[in-house]
Amino acid sequence: MKILHTSDWHLGRSLYGRKRYEEFSAFLDWLSETIQKKEVDALLIAGDVFDTSTPSNKAQELYYRFLCRVSASCCQHIVVIGGNHDSPSFLNAPKELLRALNVFVVGAMTENPEDEVIVLQDRNQAPLAIVCAVPYLRDKDIRTVEPGETIDDKNAKLIEGVKVHYEKVCSIAESKKADLEKAGHEKVPIVAMGHLFTAGGKTVEGDGVRELYVGSLAHVEQDVFPSSIDYLALGHLHVPQVVGGAAHIRYSGSPIPMGYGEAKQDKKVILIEFNTNTPKIHEIQVPCFQELVRIVGTLDDIHAKVEQLKYDESQAWLEIEYTGRDIVGNLREILDEALTGSAMEIRRVKNKRVMERLINSIEDDETLDDLDVNDVFTRCLDAFDVPEEDRIELTTSHAEIIQSLNEEDVNVD
């Protein structure tokens, strides 16, 4: 039994306005070929298939074309769970049709936990694995609101809600495993999935990973997950990593860099082989389909790096930050000229000196486009001279409202 674990595709995501469909398509082609080459029996996609709740037609085309291609290969099953970026109703809409392709979709927490437990069978109807397909658990699904709660109370209830749900789902899986053993099917592994933030998880600048819940906690500890789980396939964090030193609990990470903070990161998918009681886990490195390069320095430093990249015939997308002492007002024009004759693209330019010169006057000229929702709320508190002792509760309430808006499923009628 071979399982491949991947997550956080974020199909449809752009980089400073640049569409990345060719990159996504190249990854999915590579993944299809890897599944064939490694003779994978089941593919697990641990959430955030799409970057938004209303994915473009092109993003949808990539997704469904991939599912059709893989379902016709050696891969007998595909299990997809919803992430915090996904629309549950959008993912779930074609689930009955996709079942015909042995694609199982769980977009959101179900009313009956048994609906999140899937017994995968081979072509002879023999059990391969029991999958606990737990999607992103929204705040409203796992926590009831009570008057007078503190932030610590809310965090504790969130963690308890996550724990209780995994216990319910895994208990059903354990019962199914016992029944299979009675029928003579031994060593059927329990594989769980999840989309959440574990304590100590690593993130990087610019990866777009949102805090899932309001408050300072809501990062679950390893002991939240039942010991009956043989492998836990997690999504949400973009850095491939092991959780709490437990080799069988892992994030596969995103398959392509979501921003320049991930540019030097090795991207991976995880292959798990179940031949004995202890799974063999292999990390497979994903090729780089589009080079991202961040250049920081003086004008001379930037020119030197650009010339080296041109010499190497690089096709990189560049983020350039000028940190020299002199003010260079026409920096973008200079850089565009330096790239003449190359296949490179400048996706972003940061002119530190010009920014510093304007910093004192920016408030007079800034617009709402320059601020995020938290900036606006802080300005509002300042404008009304709200005392510091009142700000914590107000800020928490504001964050809860924003979270509820982020979690609203816009595709629901």
Side-chain angles (χ1 to χ4, degrees), residues 159-323:
I159 299 303
E160 183 64 19
V162 173
K163 183 177 182 180
V164 167
H165 188 74
Y166 270 93
E167 286 175 347
K168 288 179 181 178
V169 174
C170 288
S171 177
I172 295 168
E174 290 162 18
S175 178
K176 289 182 180 292
K177 181 173 182 177
D179 291 342
L180 290 172
E181 287 177 346
K182 289 177 183 177
H185 301 289
E186 297 183 356
K187 298 181 180 179
V188 179
I190 294 177
V191 179
M193 301 174 71
H195 193 90
L196 42 78
F197 203 139
T198 55
K202 300 175 185 175
T203 61
V204 295
E205 177 191 355
D207 61 7
V209 172
R210 300 174 187 160
E211 285 288 345
L212 291 177
Y213 304 111
V214 175
S216 58
L217 191 63
H219 297 179
V220 303
E221 299 285 350
Q222 177 187 336
D223 60 6
V224 163
F225 307 110
S227 59
S228 58
I229 297 174
D230 295 297
Y231 182 81
L232 178 54
L234 294 176
H236 183 55
L237 300 186
H238 294 176
V239 180
Q241 56 196 283
V242 171
V243 174
H248 71 294
I249 304 178
R250 293 181 180 239
Y251 289 95
S252 63
S254 57
I256 68 173
M258 294 298 148
Y260 285 91
E262 299 180 37
K264 294 183 179 180
Q265 205 180 89
D266 288 335
K267 294 300 185 180
K268 300 172 183 176
V269 295
I270 312 297
L271 180 67
I272 311 99
E273 292 187 74
F274 289 101
N275 295 319
T276 61
N277 290 330
T278 304
K280 294 182 180 180
I281 301 172
H282 312 277
E283 295 181 341
I284 302 175
Q285 186 161 333
V286 180
C288 176
F289 302 106
Q290 174 58 59
E291 185 182 13
L292 304 182
V293 176
R294 173 184 280 166
I295 304 174
V296 180
T298 65
L299 205 52
D300 288 342
D301 295 333
I302 294 169
H303 274 300
K305 180 62 177 176
V306 166
E307 287 304 314
Q308 181 61 52
L309 290 169
K310 289 176 71 173
Y311 178 80
D312 296 336
E313 298 183 348
S314 172
Q315 299 183 28
W317 294 350
L318 308 180
E319 180 183 65
I320 300 175
E321 180 177 359
Y322 169 68
T323 58

Side-chain angles (χ1 to χ4, degrees), residues 122-179:
D122 65 16
R123 292 181 174 86
N124 297 317
Q125 306 303 307
L128 291 170
I130 303 169
V131 177
C132 299
V134 180
Y136 166 54
L137 301 174
R138 284 166 164 73
D139 187 320
K140 63 183 179 181
D141 296 330
I142 56 175
R143 179 177 73 89
T144 55
V145 179
E146 296 179 12
E149 286 181 322
T150 66
I151 294 177
D152 289 341
D153 292 336
K154 294 175 182 178
N155 284 329
K157 288 174 71 174
L158 280 167
I159 299 303
E160 183 64 19
V162 173
K163 183 177 182 180
V164 167
H165 188 74
Y166 270 93
E167 286 175 347
K168 288 179 181 178
V169 174
C170 288
S171 177
I172 295 168
E174 290 162 18
S175 178
K176 289 182 180 292
K177 181 173 182 177
D179 291 342

Side-chain angles (χ1 to χ4, degrees), residues 347-371:
R347 299 305 333 138
R348 189 186 190 195
V349 175
K350 299 168 69 175
N351 194 333
K352 190 173 181 180
R353 293 304 168 222
V354 170
M355 290 172 62
E356 287 175 348
R357 185 178 66 175
L358 296 176
I359 197 68
N360 292 327
S361 60
I362 191 169
E363 289 193 11
D364 296 331
D365 301 323
E366 68 186 355
T367 67
L368 282 176
D369 291 335
D370 301 315
L371 308 173

